[in-house]
């Protein structure tokens, strides 16, 4: 494609840094990640149909040679994707962040690694909306405290940065050499023929990937929510072509097409009351069908024993259960129909009353937890969370409620580490769309603080401490004793020997 005599092209730059190791165990193998990405078509990777160039840099040892390739990629006028995978480290003198290359050591990071500052410098002057940096990295012991202090990765406002940084003590238990985030990112591209936006794709990937506890997610749900209200300035057709957006041609054709006459209204004949049509066809047309909740062998009694998450202030009322966009395709539970079969006159009333309970999976989840089947309850809750995330979005109230349900299940099971992480995640999501003094936000923060105090392992408590304190600081109307107590405990935990 040429505009004003200049060929407009995109670029995909894939950089594999040094392999991240932990006690002779591979944390991240960048070469395997690049090999997996090479199978994905370039237009799908880039999210654009413009002609594009692809550069693979695996095993590079010279930072100046890498800088030359980075500058050449930054000079492209079209969309640009920069993928980074490997080990993050810092230099001893300046304490600056680097992507370690092959052969980089602690004493040679300044001369043999890629400074993160160079990345921002070269990409700073690019047009907004055309540059994406995707990273799948692991931090070493020297860089992890710096990243926890930042809470994110600095980047120019014109660059979108997405990815994860796993802590230094993590080892991927999977058999695949491709790391968790990259594998889930590729899987989401395969499942979505209509490529989602980068923010949506990142949210889907984080929701589907089994990330380790304490992993740094860039950006967080709060930052994604803060980015979305900022609208881009109006673009001309030429600028949209440069960005690879050809949808306006279809829009012009639709405007030029003659409007179709509205169909004549047909007289509606009153129909006898009948059972509603099954929703199976609409559910089967979805690419991500909602999870099916198993029919309980004995009917639970939610009216007598209400689950703890329905007793919380931030939970949905029992009269308005959270429902998926499409009802569960499972046929109605059989025991309810024969019970009223001898009285056909009362059947319509009986069929309408238990419908909400059958469509609401929360009583079934709670019944499993009450019977001690925590794994099955957690699996079902996570399946419904994934479905609501795909249907309503990562920051929707529906998905947040399921995160809180999973946190309650983890607390009931005694897994306070997972409960703390889930409560913090729910609090951050609510804070992005609700005021800091909202009762739901404050209740979520209190639950996160309580579960954190129940973590007996000092190392696990230290990992969750900074995120909890960051959440408590964002709530000025919360009782300040929560923040002071959390800070005192975290300071005490830092003084505990590392072997504890």
């Amino acid at each position: 494609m040429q505009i004003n005599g200049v060929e407009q092209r995109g670029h995909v730059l894939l950089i594999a840094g040094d392999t991240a190791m932990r006690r002779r165990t591979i944390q991240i193998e960048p070469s395997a990640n690049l090999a997996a990405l090479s199978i994905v078509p370039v237009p799908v990777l880039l999210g654009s149909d413009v002609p594009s160039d692809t550069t693979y840099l695996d095993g590079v040892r010279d930072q100046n040679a890498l800088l030359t390739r980075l500058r050449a990629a930054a000079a492209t006028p079209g969309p640009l994707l920069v993928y980074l995978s490997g080990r993050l480290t810092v230099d001893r003198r300046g304490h600056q962040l680097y992507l370690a290359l092959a052969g980089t050591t602690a004493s040679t990071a300044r001369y043999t690694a890629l400074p993160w500052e160079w990345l921002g410098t070269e990409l700073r002057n690019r047009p907004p909306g055309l540059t994406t940096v995707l990273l799948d990295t692991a931090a070493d012991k020297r860089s992890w405290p710096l990243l926890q202090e930042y809470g994110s990765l600095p980047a120019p406002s014109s660059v979108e940065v997405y990815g994860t940084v796993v802590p230094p003590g993590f080892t991927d238990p999977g058999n695949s050499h491709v790391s968790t985030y990259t594998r889930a990112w590729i899987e989401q591209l395969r499942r979505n023929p209509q490529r989602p936006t980068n923010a949506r794709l990142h949210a889907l990937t984080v929701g589907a990937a089994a990330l380790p506890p304490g992993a740094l997610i860039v950006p967080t749900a709060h930052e994604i929510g803060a980015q979305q209200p900022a609208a881009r300035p109006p673009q001309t057709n030429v600028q949209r072509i440069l960005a690879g957006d050809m949808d306006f041609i279809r829009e012009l054709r639709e405007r030029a097409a003659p409007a179709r006459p509205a169909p004549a209204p047909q007289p509606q004949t009153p129909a006898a009351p009948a059972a509603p049509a099954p929703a199976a066809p609409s559910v089967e047309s979805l690419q991500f069908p909602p999870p099916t909740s198993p029919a309980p062998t004995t009917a639970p009694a939610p009216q007598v024993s209400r689950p703890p998450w329905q007793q919380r202030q931030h939970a949905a009322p029992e009269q308005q259960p959270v429902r998926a966009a499409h009802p569960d395709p499972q046929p109605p539970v059989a025991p309810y129909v024969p019970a009223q079969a001898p009285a056909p006159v009362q059947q319509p009333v009986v069929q309408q009353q238990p419908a909400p309970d059958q469509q609401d999976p929360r009583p079934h989840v709670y019944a499993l937890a009450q019977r001690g089947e925590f794994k099955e309850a957690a699996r079902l809750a996570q399946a419904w969370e994934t479905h609501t995330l795909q249907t309503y979005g990562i920051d929707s109230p529906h998905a947040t409620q399921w995160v809180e349900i999973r946190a309650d299940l983890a607390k009931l099971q005694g897994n306070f580490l997972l409960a703390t992480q889930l409560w913090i995640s729910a609090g951050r999501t609510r804070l992005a769309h609700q005021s800091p003094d909202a009762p739901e936000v404050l209740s979520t923060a209190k639950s996160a603080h309580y579960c954190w105090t129940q973590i007996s392992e000092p190392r696990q408590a230290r990992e969750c401490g900074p995120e909890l304190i960051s959440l408590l600081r964002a709530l000025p109307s919360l009782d300040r004793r929560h923040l002071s107590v959390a800070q005192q405990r975290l300071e005490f935990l830092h003084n505990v020997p590392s072997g504890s």
Side-chain angles (χ1 to χ4, degrees):
M1 180 183 300
Q2 290 189 359
I3 298 179
N4 297 331
V6 180
E7 184 179 11
Q8 305 302 315
R9 303 183 64 87
H11 200 105
V12 176
L13 178 60
L14 306 177
I15 302 176
D18 189 23
T19 302
M21 303 287 294
R22 171 67 176 173
R23 295 179 179 176
R24 298 184 179 181
T25 303
I26 296 178
Q27 289 181 283
I28 290 182
E29 190 172 353
S31 300
N33 291 345
L34 260 63
L37 289 172
S38 63
I39 305 176
V40 183
V42 175
V44 178
L45 282 176
L46 198 58
S48 175
D49 293 330
V50 300
S52 305
D53 301 314
T54 305
T55 303
Y56 295 86
L57 298 179
D58 189 0
V60 179
R61 293 177 175 268
D62 187 358
Q63 62 177 189
N64 293 320
L66 184 57
L67 177 61
T68 302
R69 297 298 183 94
L70 179 60
R71 286 178 175 174
T76 184
L80 170 64
L81 171 66
V82 179
Y83 174 83
L84 303 173
S85 182
R87 173 174 58 92
L88 293 180
T89 186
V90 296
D91 64 316
R92 292 179 175 177
R93 180 178 301 180
H95 295 283
Q96 298 298 319
L97 193 63
Y98 289 80
L99 175 67
L101 302 179
T104 298
T105 61
S107 59
T108 63
R110 296 181 60 193
Y111 313 103
T112 60
L114 173 65
W116 182 262
E117 183 180 2
W118 286 9
L119 198 67
T121 301
E122 299 301 328
L123 303 179
R124 179 176 292 110
N125 297 325
R126 286 185 51 78
L130 294 181
T131 309
T132 303
V133 175
L134 186 67
L135 63 125
D136 190 350
T137 57
D140 59 14
K141 292 184 177 180
R142 290 176 294 273
S143 62
W144 185 244
L146 183 64
L147 291 171
Q148 285 188 309
E149 179 181 353
Y150 287 161
S152 182
L153 288 172
S157 58
S158 60
V159 179
E160 299 178 0
V161 181
Y162 303 97
T164 58
V165 182
V166 300
F170 166 72
T171 55
D172 192 351
N175 297 326
S176 175
H177 294 289
V178 183
S179 55
T180 303
Y181 180 81
T182 299
R183 183 168 61 250
W185 195 77
I186 296 174
E187 180 65 18
Q188 292 302 323
L189 286 176
R190 185 188 66 82
R191 292 184 177 183
N192 294 272
Q194 299 296 331
R195 188 186 189 279
T197 62
N198 291 326
R200 173 74 172 167
L201 184 60
H202 171 70
L204 294 175
T205 302
V206 172
L211 297 175
L216 176 63
I217 301 175
V218 181
T220 61
H222 176 70
E223 293 171 335
I224 291 178
Q227 292 174 1
Q228 294 192 1
R232 295 182 183 176
Q235 291 182 327
T236 64
N237 292 341
V238 174
Q239 290 174 330
R240 295 179 69 176
I241 292 176
L242 293 177
D245 183 8
M246 306 296 292
D247 291 340
F248 75 95
I249 297 179
R250 177 177 53 82
E251 296 172 3
L252 293 177
R253 290 176 179 174
E254 293 178 354
R255 294 176 186 175
R260 296 182 179 179
Q266 299 179 358
Q268 297 182 357
T269 59
S282 60
V283 175
E284 292 174 356
S285 62
L286 293 176
Q287 189 169 359
F288 293 90
T292 58
S293 57
T297 55
T298 59
Q303 295 82 0
V304 179
S305 176
R306 298 178 58 191
W309 52 78
Q310 293 184 357
Q311 300 175 4
R312 294 185 176 273
Q313 297 180 358
H314 58 266
E318 185 177 355
Q319 292 79 3
Q320 299 178 359
V322 179
R323 303 179 184 177
H326 298 274
D328 191 353
Q330 188 175 2
V333 181
Y336 290 99
V337 178
Q340 300 296 333
V345 179
Q346 299 179 0
Q347 279 184 0
V349 179
V350 177
Q351 289 178 359
Q352 293 176 2
Q353 289 180 355
D357 292 338
Q358 294 174 7
Q359 295 179 0
D360 184 7
R362 292 178 296 174
H364 304 315
V365 175
Y366 176 61
L368 291 173
Q370 290 296 313
R371 294 198 299 264
E373 302 178 13
F374 293 106
K375 291 185 178 180
E376 181 65 19
R379 184 198 64 80
L380 184 60
Q382 188 171 11
W384 273 99
E385 178 195 354
T386 303
H387 168 65
T388 54
L389 186 147
Q390 302 288 351
T391 306
Y392 303 105
I394 188 174
D395 53 356
S396 65
H398 305 78
T400 305
Q401 289 171 1
W402 279 106
V403 173
E404 294 169 347
I405 290 174
R406 290 181 56 204
D408 262 329
L409 291 174
K411 183 184 71 174
L412 293 175
Q413 190 179 6
N415 190 349
F416 293 103
L417 174 61
L418 178 60
T420 302
Q421 295 167 348
L422 292 174
W423 280 122
I424 292 175
S425 175
R428 283 295 183 186
T429 305
R430 286 192 175 275
L431 188 60
H433 300 278
Q434 297 179 256
S435 61
D437 57 349
E440 296 85 354
V441 179
L442 299 180
S443 179
T444 303
K446 293 177 182 178
S447 300
H449 186 198
Y450 168 77
C451 293
W452 182 66
T453 59
Q454 302 304 309
I455 301 177
S456 57
E457 178 65 30
R459 180 183 60 83
Q460 296 178 349
R462 284 195 297 263
E463 292 176 355
C464 299
E467 297 182 8
L468 174 64
I469 291 178
S470 176
L471 175 63
L472 298 178
R473 284 176 176 171
L475 307 176
S477 59
L478 184 66
D479 189 345
R480 306 313 296 174
R481 288 177 295 180
H482 286 279
L483 178 59
S484 60
V485 170
Q487 290 175 333
Q488 293 174 4
R489 182 170 189 251
L490 183 61
E491 183 179 359
F492 171 78
L493 292 172
H494 282 300
N495 295 328
V496 175
S498 57
S500 301

